[in-house]
Amino acid sequence: MTETVIPVLREMRWWDIEPVHELEKALFPEDAWSRGMFWSELAHSRGPEATRRYVVAETGDRVVGYAGLASSGDLADVQTIAVAADHWGTGLGGRLLTELLRAATAFECAEVLLECRVDNVRAQKLYERFGFQPIGFRRGYYQPGNVDALVMRLTTASDSGSGTESTSAQGTGIND
């Protein structure tokens, strides 16, 4: 019987950019973020003026997931969540989202927004389990494929407990 290794979550650092970028290209070949985009986000993730929180999930020396959140005032935006295909269905997406919602609380954000591809039903179901609700669309948001984004919102101020939802194994392969 093979022992399952549970990925460890930790703060993303500059040395994670290359493995994160490789996973990004594998999961999102048409609209992958550049290395520079990750560098830019990490530049705002440390110190007293930090407005970003980025985490990686790793097993041994392999990055198997990552997630990021940006905050501005009382509003946070989930920038990205990604889980390696061989870790879909393990609850890792829910663990990453929980960490981002903890960060939104730490940033004292009353609302968390995100965009999700309209064809990514698996991710939408995860977000709905955490209390996110659809509020609109961004037409042609994902380029070059011209795929629409579903905009979802979670109001955290009056929504106690949404960030502590159990991380079930269902629906965690996020290709957001």
Side-chain angles (χ1 to χ4, degrees):
M1 184 172 187
T2 305
E3 184 178 326
T4 302
V5 177
I6 298 174
V8 174
L9 301 187
R10 64 169 176 77
E11 178 184 8
M12 182 190 273
R13 300 300 303 273
W14 66 266
W15 52 81
D16 296 310
I17 290 176
E18 192 56 38
V20 163
H21 187 247
E22 289 303 312
L23 183 54
E24 173 84 1
K25 291 187 306 185
L27 292 170
F28 314 111
E30 288 188 358
D31 53 2
W33 282 21
S34 67
R35 286 178 192 86
M37 292 170 77
F38 286 108
W39 276 105
S40 178
E41 289 296 298
L42 288 185
H44 300 285
S45 69
R46 301 203 63 164
E49 303 297 317
T51 58
R52 306 290 194 274
R53 172 74 170 146
Y54 276 77
V55 295
V56 294
E58 61 184 0
T59 57
D61 62 352
R62 180 176 168 231
V63 171
V64 295
Y66 57 90
L69 178 105
S71 69
S72 178
D74 66 351
L75 181 66
D77 188 61
V78 173
Q79 302 286 58
T80 187
I81 296 181
V83 173
D86 63 335
H87 280 71
W88 290 358
T90 66
L92 183 54
R95 289 180 58 211
L96 289 165
L97 183 55
T98 296
E99 184 60 33
L100 295 185
L101 294 177
R102 283 187 187 125
T105 299
F107 285 129
E108 299 180 352
C109 296
E111 289 185 325
V112 181
L113 296 174
L114 60 82
E115 293 88 17
C116 179
R117 289 175 63 106
V118 294
D119 57 358
N120 191 347
V121 176
R122 181 190 297 250
Q124 291 170 34
K125 287 181 179 182
L126 171 66
Y127 298 139
E128 287 169 358
R129 285 199 319 270
F130 275 76
F132 282 85
Q133 297 180 344
I135 61 168
F137 294 93
R138 294 182 196 250
R139 302 288 176 207
Y141 184 79
Y142 293 97
Q143 294 297 329
N146 202 36
V147 177
D148 295 344
L150 174 65
V151 180
M152 301 181 83
R153 176 178 57 203
L154 174 67
T155 303
T156 59
S158 63
D159 190 3
S160 65
S162 66
T164 60
E165 191 256 17
S166 100
T167 54
S168 72
Q170 190 174 12
T172 57
I174 303 170
N175 296 324
D176 185 25

